[in-house]
């Protein structure tokens, strides 16, 4: 990676110093004062632990939810600090109910605290505006800046981007490094065959991903509702399936230009509506009745996709194959997850990006059987579109003075 990371910091830059770390603790709360899914909190532990081992006090910044630039009790990070303490029982974790105040700055120099979580950055008016005065002021909270919030790196906010201009060194954390390594290596130097699996609801949200990845992949397997727009472009009956009429021409053009790389489902699981999952039928793709909708790829497609995945050395997956929230329309999605887990065992690099695909993998308990499951839905999508992430771009370059 061409950005400096925490591992590049010298001892004198950390020992006895305050590391100001932007993390992504935007987790679901359970409404009972606790944390729902703590995946994102646990994902930041390696960086926090490394900084503690190297003698730094850790000051954490994060956003939670979408408060509009002023405090809102239900978006307080207090429950997250409590949860973090349970995950690191040997450290003295404290919550500071402010962020950009002299009291907050004073808390960072208090020797009785090891790990400090400041209140929600989105309680601050200038955060989402990337206000330079706010960034400058927040820089008082630390001696070095570490960005480990991959999930927020596609947003240029004061705590995710602006700070890197006001506090140096400004380096990537371990989670950020891992995300960029897996996503970056897959795109720039993949072991081949390189197979991408794309799905989800809308082709329109993924056009840039398709365009950016098509030249790089050996095959692109298309599932989800997206496949129906391609079916329409092929002149097939799509019934009540989710088709984006204004994208049909684009799908037709893609088929003409890259038809050999695109692998579409050959069959479908269909039903009249999601309320009647038991009436599900499996039909060939040219036999979708006008009264029915495709809610998942069919079993023959599962097998075909599975074979492409089995032959691949790199697999990148974004977007479920069907309405996986409603069984039995989770069949195709589950089959992809299982095929990827097998591929990992055989030594292939398997990467999952996208919030819903990651949730599907987690629901199957297969997270540990993927090479990497990205913690950043929107950020990983923008990365796969080939966009530069502002939160990454602002960090110190390797080799810079
Ligand atoms: P990700 O978050 O992994 O990037 P998306 O947000 O693009 O994925 O898409 C996920 C959504 O797509 C899910 O809610 C799923 O129900 C929906 N979906 C997948 N296939 C279909 C389909 N055939 N018809 C309607 N919705 C679908
Ligand atoms: Mg999604």
């Amino acid at each position: 990676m061409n950005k400096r990371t925490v591992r590049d910091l010298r001892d004198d830059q950390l020992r006895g110093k305050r590391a100001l770390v932007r993390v992504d603790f935007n987790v679901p709360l359970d409404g009972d004062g606790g944390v729902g899914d703590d995946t994102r909190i646990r994902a930041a532990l390696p960086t926090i632990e490394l900084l503690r081992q190297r003698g730094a006090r850790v000051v954490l910044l994060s956003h939670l939810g979408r408060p509009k630039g002023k405090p809102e009790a239900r978006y307080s990070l207090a429950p997250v600090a409590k949860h973090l303490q349970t995950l690191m029982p040997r450290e003295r974790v404290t919550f500071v109910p402010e962020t950009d105040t002299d009291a907050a700055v004073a808390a960072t120099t208090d020797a009785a605290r090891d790990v400090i979580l400041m209140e929600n950055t989105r309680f601050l008016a200038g955060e989402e505006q990337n206000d330079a005065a706010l960034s400058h002021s927040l820089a008082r909270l630390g001696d070095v800046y570490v960005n480990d919030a991959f999930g927020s790196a596609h947003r240029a906010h004061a705590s995710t981007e602006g700070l890197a201009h006001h506090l140096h060194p400004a380096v990537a954390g371990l989670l950020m490094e891992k995300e960029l390594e897996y996503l970056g290596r897959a795109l720039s130097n993949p072991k081949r065959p390189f197979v991408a699996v794309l799905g989800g609801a809308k082709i329109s949200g993924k056009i840039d991903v398709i365009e950016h990845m098509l030249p790089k992949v050996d095959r692109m397997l298309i599932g989800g509702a997206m496949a129906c727009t391609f079916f329409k472009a092929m002149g097939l009956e799509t019934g009540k399936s989710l088709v984006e009429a204004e994208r049909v021409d684009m799908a037709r053009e893609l088929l003409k230009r890259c038809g050999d790389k695109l692998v579409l489902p050959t069959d479908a699981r269909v039903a009249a509506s999601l309320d009647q999952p038991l009436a599900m039928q499996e039909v060939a793709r040219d036999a979708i009745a006008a009264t029915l909708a495709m809610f998942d790829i069919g079993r023959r497609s599962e097998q075909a996709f599975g074979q492409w995945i089995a032959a691949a050395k790199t697999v990148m997956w974004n977007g479920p194959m069907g309405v996986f929230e409603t069984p039995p329309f989770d069949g195709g999605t589950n089959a992809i997850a299982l095929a990827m887990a097998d591929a990992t065992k055989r030594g292939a690099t398997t990467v999952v990006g996208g919030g819903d695909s990651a949730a599907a993998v987690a629901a199957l308990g297969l997270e540990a059987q993927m090479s990497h499951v990205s913690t950043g839905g929107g950020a990983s999508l923008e990365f796969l579109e080939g966009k530069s992430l502002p939160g990454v771009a602002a960090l110190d370059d390797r080799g810079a003075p």
Side-chain angles (χ1 to χ4, degrees), residues 199-203 205-206 223-228 240-243 269 274 293-297 317-326 329 333 352-360 377-378 380-381:
K202 290 192 166 173
I203 199 171
K206 307 241 162 131
M226 205 188 277
C228 306
K240 290 185 181 160
S241 309
L242 184 57
V243 169
R269 290 181 170 97
L274 285 172
M294 171 173 182
F295 291 125
D296 195 8
I297 62 173
W317 179 26
N318 178 287
M321 296 292 100
V323 184
F324 73 105
E325 300 93 335
T326 312
F329 305 112
T333 300
V352 183
D356 291 292
S357 337
S380 59
L381 204 62

Side-chain angles (χ1 to χ4, degrees), residues 282-293:
E282 288 196 58
V283 299
R285 71 182 177 194
D286 58 3
I288 299 176
T291 52
L292 304 182

Side-chain angles (χ1 to χ4, degrees), residues 192-195 305-315 343 346 348:
R192 294 185 182 276
F194 175 19
V195 170
F305 285 14
Q307 277 166 11
W308 281 112
I309 292 170
K313 293 227 165 62
T314 306
V315 187
R346 281 183 7 254

Side-chain angles (χ1 to χ4, degrees), residues 62-386:
S62 178
H63 78 281
L64 175 72
R66 295 175 177 273
K68 285 275 156 266
K70 54 180 194 306
E72 238 183 284
R74 67 186 164 130
Y75 294 126
S76 173
L77 280 165
V80 176
K82 215 185 271 171
H83 190 85
L84 180 62
Q85 177 71 78
T86 66
L87 295 177
M88 18 185 41
R90 292 213 302 251
E91 305 284 1
R92 295 165 298 176
V93 178
T94 48
F95 175 67
V96 172
E98 24 204 316
T99 317
D100 181 38
T101 60
D102 290 341
V105 176
T108 66
T109 58
D110 176 353
R113 307 173 195 246
D114 302 321
V115 177
I116 301 164
L117 177 61
M118 297 290 172
E119 186 55 286
N120 197 335
T121 52
R122 288 197 186 163
F123 286 1
L124 304 171
E127 164 73 341
E128 295 191 59
Q129 288 70 41
N130 199 5
D131 181 66
L134 175 61
S135 301
H136 183 73
S137 180
L138 288 176
R140 298 179 299 156
L141 297 169
D143 302 304
V144 303
Y145 174 66
V146 179
N147 191 345
D148 213 21
F150 177 74
S152 307
H154 57 313
R155 312 235 187 262
H157 294 169
S159 68
T160 61
E161 199 270 350
L163 256 174
H165 300 289
H166 294 273
L167 183 57
H168 290 281
V171 301
L174 297 175
L175 172 64
M176 178 75 91
E177 184 184 17
K178 183 173 185 242
E179 292 272 9
L180 296 172
E181 238 178 57
Y182 274 102
L183 294 171
R185 206 188 312 140
L187 287 182
S188 62
N189 192 18
K191 287 209 184 111
R192 294 185 182 276
F194 175 19
V195 170
V197 188
L198 284 191
K202 290 192 166 173
I203 199 171
S204 49
K206 307 241 162 131
I207 289 170
D208 293 338
V209 178
I210 298 177
E211 290 286 359
H212 186 68
M213 291 190 71
L214 256 178
K216 302 175 189 293
V217 301
D218 295 296
R219 283 294 183 284
M220 183 173 282
L221 319 180
I222 304 270
M226 205 188 277
C228 306
T229 303
F230 280 98
F231 288 172
K232 191 83 177 176
M234 292 156 72
L236 300 175
E237 169 67 60
T238 50
K240 290 185 181 160
S241 309
L242 184 57
V243 169
E244 287 174 275
E246 67 286 6
R247 300 294 175 190
V248 172
D249 285 345
M250 195 208 77
R252 194 176 294 119
E253 190 269 328
L254 277 170
L255 284 167
K256 209 158 104 194
R257 182 156 50 98
C258 319
D260 52 332
K261 277 194 181 180
L262 292 171
V263 181
L264 288 158
T266 53
D267 60 349
R269 290 181 170 97
V270 296
S273 82
L274 285 172
D275 305 335
Q276 300 160 33
L278 293 177
M280 185 269 286
Q281 306 168 37
E282 288 196 58
V283 299
R285 71 182 177 194
D286 58 3
I288 299 176
T291 52
L292 304 182
M294 171 173 182
F295 291 125
D296 195 8
I297 62 173
R299 235 172 303 182
R300 272 198 291 141
S301 310
E302 276 175 22
Q303 273 167 13
F305 285 14
Q307 277 166 11
W308 281 112
I309 292 170
K313 293 227 165 62
T314 306
V315 187
M316 170 81 75
W317 179 26
N318 178 287
M321 296 292 100
V323 184
F324 73 105
E325 300 93 335
T326 312
F329 305 112
D330 56 350
T333 300
N334 294 349
I336 297 296
L338 288 165
M340 284 181 69
D342 277 343
T344 318
K345 267 183 221 135
R346 281 183 7 254
T349 300
T350 52
V351 182
V352 183
D356 291 292
S357 337
V361 169
L364 291 169
L366 290 175
E367 278 165 311
Q369 297 185 54
M370 305 291 165
S371 308
H372 182 62
V373 180
S374 179
T375 55
S380 59
L381 204 62
E382 292 202 14
F383 193 90
L384 298 182
E385 290 170 349

